[in-house]
Amino acid sequence: MNTVSVKRRGAFLLAAAALATVGVAGTAQAVPNSGSLWVGYGKSNTYASVKCVQLISNSLHYQTGYHTVDVDGSFGPDTYGAIVALQQWARLDPDGVVGPQTGNVMVEATKDSYNCYSSLPTLK
């Protein structure tokens, strides 16, 4: 093995050991669902995450008072309005962005019936 390969392998083993230690010791901090990006204007919206926001918004439209939106996976003014209405209903800062707090409300309010946990940022 050359020197570069040995260094890479050592770095990999060190990182793996650090992860294992944190997992075993249970000292890792709770972080938002890291597999999901925030949803909103100026964010890296994915088709799946926007579709989840639209599905959940539609299922909660009676509670939020906002009309249903097209479920097309495309972020636009209607989806933004639905997020703001949901945030107002949940007594969150109505910024029109689905971050961990809004994602939590959405997933918990629907008991994740749309299997959106992996597509939305959450606190759990």
Side-chain angles (χ1 to χ4, degrees):
M1 252 188 237
N2 63 29
T3 306
V4 174
S5 296
V6 171
K7 286 182 182 178
R8 285 185 183 157
R9 184 176 177 149
F12 173 78
L13 291 175
L14 181 63
L19 288 173
T21 302
V22 169
V24 171
T27 58
Q29 297 294 320
V31 295
N33 181 3
S34 59
S36 303
L37 300 173
W38 291 25
V39 179
Y41 282 122
K43 304 298 178 187
S44 299
N45 303 317
T46 64
Y47 173 82
S49 62
V50 174
K51 184 177 176 184
C52 278
V53 168
Q54 293 165 336
L55 286 168
I56 292 171
S57 297
N58 285 347
S59 72
L60 297 173
H61 83 279
Y62 286 116
Q63 290 91 331
T64 65
Y66 196 79
H67 61 84
T68 59
V69 299
D70 289 338
V71 180
D72 58 6
S74 178
F75 191 88
D78 264 354
T79 304
Y80 174 84
I83 293 169
V84 168
L86 186 135
Q87 290 170 327
Q88 290 171 335
W89 169 73
R91 292 185 168 83
L92 298 173
D93 179 30
D95 61 3
V97 175
V98 177
Q101 289 182 323
T102 304
N104 246 25
V105 168
M106 296 179 101
V107 169
E108 289 178 3
T110 59
K111 296 180 176 56
D112 200 21
S113 59
Y114 296 102
N115 297 316
C116 288
Y117 173 77
S118 62
S119 297
L120 296 176
T122 61
L123 296 170
K124 297 180 183 179

